[in-house]
Amino acid sequence: VSIATVSRALNGADEVGEETRQRIVQLAAELDYAPSAAARTLVTRRSHVFGVALGNDAGGPPGLQHPFFQDVLVGLQDEAGAQGFDLLLFARDRTASSSAPTLLNRCRHHGVDGVVLIALDLSGPEIDTAPLPGIPCVAIDEDVQSAQTAQISSDNIGGAALATRHLHELGHRRIAMITGPERTKAGRERLAGYRQELERVGVPLRPEYVQHGHFFSEGGAEAMSALLGLSEPPTGVFASSDLMAAGALQRALELGARVPEDVSIIGFDDLQLTSLTQPTLSTVRQDKHGIGAAAARALSNMLKHPDAEPPVITLPVSLVRRESTGQPPASRPRPRQQRRSSTRERET
Amino acid sequence: VSIATVSRALNGADEVGEETRQRIVQLAAELDYAPSAAARTLVTRRSHVFGVALGNDAGGPPGLQHPFFQDVLVGLQDEAGAQGFDLLLFARDRTASSSAPTLLNRCRHHGVDGVVLIALDLSGPEIDTAPLPGIPCVAIDEDVQSAQTAQISSDNIGGAALATRHLHELGHRRIAMITGPERTKAGRERLAGYRQELERVGVPLRPEYVQHGHFFSEGGAEAMSALLGLSEPPTGVFASSDLMAAGALQRALELGARVPEDVSIIGFDDLQLTSLTQPTLSTVRQDKHGIGAAAARALSNMLKHPDAEPPVITLPVSLVRRESTGQPPASRPRPRQQRRSSTRERET
DNA sequence: GTGAAAGCGCTAACAG
DNA sequence: CTGTTAGCGCTTTCAC
């Protein structure tokens, strides 16, 4: 029972006697021996760990706090586990401190086999050396210029177009959008999809119909106040996230507008929340779990085939129709409910 | 510039020349040198990583999928980061496979400096050797028998009593509870708090008023159906989680009951969701971020003072009154709305 | 104050 | 098929 043989037996090398292996494996189990990952990493240069950089600071784009990424993380966890990797969650952005180590350095420091970039502000100093040379990297919902980085995201443009078309097909012509931050890929693309679809169906874009939020519910509520305060308020509102849609819904009701009778609302993401609001929220479903799983799979493949092109994956989305969307109010220009609401809004 | 000196300089040892240090530090920055964590861990036996075991399998207690733990994780991430630790998220429970390595082994394998146990079924085989000898361990919302494990949880009993008292003080006497799984600490304790408070105020416990759910909204909805189907339905319902409360609310409205006029509903957790339902949900607030932060701090302290008793921390909770709770319907035994709802329920 | 040398626990070549 | 040897990149005595 020599030391090298043990290593071979436990790593399933084929050049080892069957009985010897049995003995070793069993003995290891009894002693519950745990090989040191550090030592193995040191020599093999493989850590079997994927780094996950998921922002969670208030200043940046929505990160771990946002329910959307929760499911992405579960997908990541599931698939990474299946591929034999654990996840190293880098603790908090230290973007603030300029002396903070760059993301690249933290990855090399820990010797991760791959990195998942989510919800980061890539313009920040943290990601100075993107792409991270030598470390397979996959970005979720980020625009990365480098061809060395795999990219995963939902079909944001198509989804936004889908939502807009849904409203248009219901008969809406005054269709507003509550968009996410410009600096996020999802924010930009969904806005683009909305614009594109309006153009396709020949409805002119009104600047006052584009309100900005930050993907959370408060932004949605404020945007809705602004929209209902317009002299010609929209009859349909597409929000770039379910949280914003829920906030908008809440505010609309507070202001006395009926949903969907006076104003239709549709979101994006398909969070659990969508079936818990009253009325339930129509939305565009993203395959959140699938996004995470795809990221893990992509990293795993990049490790196996270092020379292959990193994939750029766009996952399909689908329309989920619930109760918050319906036909626009009969073609009176300003239904009573909305007038009332806009008045109230001004008081606030 | 010798190799040992570099090590000393970068680790801030005091026995090094000031100018030498300066030179080294600057040079390291220029080359952006990243010391290998693996090598360092190998020799110092400190990894600066906390392991996080957060279940996410459908069979077990609610894990990473549940919104509650999202905020806990953020707290953990923030405070661990502040203390200089990153987080290793063990990928998926492998409880299924009996040959899977135990949690203890996975921790030793990775050489984590501490472990956070969350939402695990501690009766499972994975945690055979709890407590994990030699590894500081903190359990969140778990009942661990061992005195070697630190424990963090909210004041579940007090919180449940608070919710129950709130309903009682509003005038409710027919107070039901939608409880979580017995095998979770939160499930058991909140049920205990409810019982305790009923006893205190002298309202007898009715077995048919205790319905079981799994902390998610579906369970809440089904439980509400059952409750409204009773010949004498409750006028107040305390749900052991906000998700169940939201599901119950939804179902109550579907069945034609008005909330809070016909039936009051109060939850537990204080998720974002609570202010997005219609009506908004009264609840018992837990300091989710604080729980995570306390866990990280506890581990850090246990590392510094290995001989100190691991703390058992109970965080205070508070009542958040929103719109879903109010006075019970005037003392007619069976208000019309509820009769209608119970009828409908039977059809389903 | 700095360099030289040993060794953390493992894997990978190379002999036997 | 198995044992011996060297070395991964770092920290840490111990000399100088």
Side-chain angles (χ1 to χ4, degrees), chain A residues 2 4-5 8 15-17 20 42-43 45:
Chain A
S2 99
T5 313
R8 284 186 277 246
E15 20 150 38
V16 66
T20 328
L42 192 54
V43 51
R45 321 198 128 281

Side-chain angles (χ1 to χ4, degrees), chain B residues 92-165:
Chain B
R92 59 168 216 165
D93 280 325
R94 303 181 196 161
T95 355
S97 153
S98 57
S99 67
T102 63
L103 178 63
L104 166 58
N105 265 338
R106 296 173 76 186
C107 290
R108 290 197 325 208
H109 173 69
H110 286 287
V112 299
D113 293 341
V115 202
V116 186
L117 263 32
I118 321 181
L120 296 177
D121 192 345
L122 292 185
S123 58
E126 180 122 356
I127 323 281
D128 56 352
T129 333
L132 295 68
I135 303 180
C137 183
V138 46
I140 294 180
D141 260 335
E142 304 268 12
D143 263 333
V144 183
Q145 56 281 50
S146 152
Q148 301 200 46
T149 300
Q151 305 191 36
I152 321 255
S153 44
S154 286
D155 181 5
N156 287 308
I157 298 186
L162 209 57
T164 310
R165 189 174 321 146

Side-chain angles (χ1 to χ4, degrees), chain A residues 10-329:
Chain A
L10 263 36
N11 291 342
D14 45 332
E15 20 150 38
V16 66
E18 185 51 36
E19 34 182 333
T20 328
R21 137 172 298 123
Q22 299 258 331
R23 209 153 32 99
I24 291 177
V25 168
Q26 191 191 336
L27 205 59
E30 283 176 20
L31 302 177
D32 53 45
Y33 163 76
S36 150
R40 164 183 288 170
T41 298
L42 192 54
V43 51
T44 60
R45 321 198 128 281
R46 279 264 156 303
S47 60
H48 297 280
V49 167
F50 288 147
V52 178
L54 215 193
N56 80 349
D57 54 337
L64 185 47
Q65 292 94 340
H66 198 284
F68 171 71
F69 293 111
Q70 191 170 16
D71 289 328
V72 172
L73 196 54
V74 172
L76 204 53
Q77 193 183 212
D78 282 343
E79 185 63 24
Q83 308 266 351
F85 294 85
D86 283 316
L87 262 30
L88 186 72
L89 200 56
F90 292 119
R92 58 168 215 167
D93 280 326
R94 304 181 196 162
T95 355
S97 153
S98 58
S99 69
T102 63
L103 179 62
L104 166 58
N105 264 338
R106 296 175 75 188
C107 290
R108 289 197 326 207
H109 173 69
H110 286 287
V112 299
D113 294 341
V115 202
V116 185
L117 264 33
I118 321 182
L120 297 176
D121 193 344
L122 292 185
S123 58
E126 180 122 358
I127 324 281
D128 55 352
T129 333
L132 294 67
I135 302 179
C137 183
V138 46
I140 293 179
D141 261 336
E142 304 269 12
D143 263 333
V144 183
Q145 55 283 49
S146 151
Q148 301 199 46
T149 299
Q151 305 192 36
I152 321 255
S153 45
S154 285
D155 181 4
N156 288 307
I157 298 186
L162 209 57
T164 310
R165 190 175 321 146
H166 173 58
L167 292 173
H168 186 264
E169 284 175 353
L170 283 170
H172 294 270
R173 292 298 175 269
R174 304 210 302 270
I175 301 175
M177 171 156 189
I178 303 176
T179 180
E182 279 289 326
R183 62 177 163 177
T184 65
K185 184 183 187 185
R188 286 191 301 276
E189 290 191 344
R190 291 174 200 168
L191 179 56
Y194 161 78
R195 285 192 154 122
Q196 180 180 303
E197 180 65 16
L198 284 189
E199 189 163 358
R200 200 184 68 81
V201 297
V203 170
L205 178 80
R206 305 194 194 184
E208 73 272 24
Y209 274 7
V210 177
Q211 294 289 329
H212 293 261
H214 288 271
F215 284 129
F216 288 95
S217 57
E218 297 78 14
E222 285 170 27
M224 189 52 116
S225 285
L227 289 173
L228 292 184
L230 294 174
S231 58
E232 198 168 45
T235 62
V237 175
F238 164 46
S240 208
S241 76
D242 281 339
L243 241 34
M244 292 198 296
L249 167 60
Q250 180 84 340
R251 181 61 57 88
L253 298 175
E254 277 171 32
L255 296 179
R258 291 168 305 164
V259 177
E261 291 80 0
D262 297 325
V263 57
S264 285
I265 298 177
I266 182 168
F268 205 109
D269 284 348
D270 195 38
L271 304 181
Q272 295 179 33
L273 161 78
T274 49
S275 40
L276 296 172
T277 57
Q278 186 73 12
T280 56
L281 276 172
S282 296
T283 193
V284 176
R285 171 176 294 154
Q286 293 196 71
D287 183 2
K288 302 173 282 299
H289 191 281
I291 289 176
R297 226 173 295 120
L299 282 185
S300 180
N301 284 334
M302 288 165 82
L303 281 170
K304 286 179 198 150
H305 315 288
D307 300 325
E309 283 287 287
V312 175
I313 301 175
T314 303
L315 278 81
V317 297
S318 59
L319 184 75
V320 180
R321 193 169 169 187
R322 296 204 179 83
E323 300 165 355
S324 64
T325 47
Q327 299 186 343

